[in-house]
Amino acid sequence: MTVAYWIVAALLAVFYLYAGGKKVAQSQEQLRPMMGWVDRVPMPAVRTIGALEVLGAAGLILPPLTGVAPWLAVASAIGLVLVQVGGIVVHLSRGEARLIGLNIGLLVAAGAAVWLGTGWL
């Protein structure tokens, strides 16, 4: 289970560092082609979501790696589940049901990280 956790956590961390970093660093115009929903969400909220994604990625890796408060990894994974639930809600509210495949995949992966992480706590 430990190896499976690290594989899932590493893949999620890479994705969320990239996606969250873009939300934190790029302008609304730069984000719009990849994330059409940024027109409906205020930029401070987009930046907050990005910061939460980056912190979630760090939380998946650093606590279990250092052995300091490893329960934070599970808390981070739960937070990323909630981010994806919010993403699905936004897409559905915009009539973009066909775009929620990635959100569902990330939701399942974060859920797996929660489950796998509880195995070594």
Side-chain angles (χ1 to χ4, degrees):
M1 283 184 73
T2 301
V3 172
Y5 172 81
W6 281 110
I7 292 168
V8 172
L11 291 172
L12 283 171
V14 167
F15 178 84
Y16 281 112
L17 282 173
Y18 173 75
K22 286 181 78 70
K23 291 177 186 100
V24 168
Q26 292 186 336
S27 69
Q28 188 176 32
E29 292 75 29
Q30 292 171 313
L31 292 172
R32 190 175 296 120
M34 194 165 121
M35 303 171 199
W37 56 270
V38 297
D39 287 337
R40 265 186 83 192
V41 178
M43 278 311 287
V46 173
R47 302 263 188 252
T48 300
I49 293 166
L52 291 172
E53 289 176 347
V54 169
L55 290 171
L60 289 173
I61 302 298
L62 294 177
L65 187 64
T66 62
V68 177
W71 58 269
L72 285 174
V74 174
S76 295
I78 291 168
L80 294 173
V81 165
L82 296 174
V83 166
Q84 289 312 313
V85 168
I88 291 168
V89 168
V90 168
H91 282 304
L92 292 176
S93 72
R94 291 173 46 93
E96 301 171 338
R98 69 189 188 292
L99 298 179
I100 64 170
L102 177 60
N103 298 93
I104 292 171
L106 291 168
L107 175 80
V108 169
V114 170
W115 178 68
L116 291 167
T118 57
W120 45 258
L121 284 179

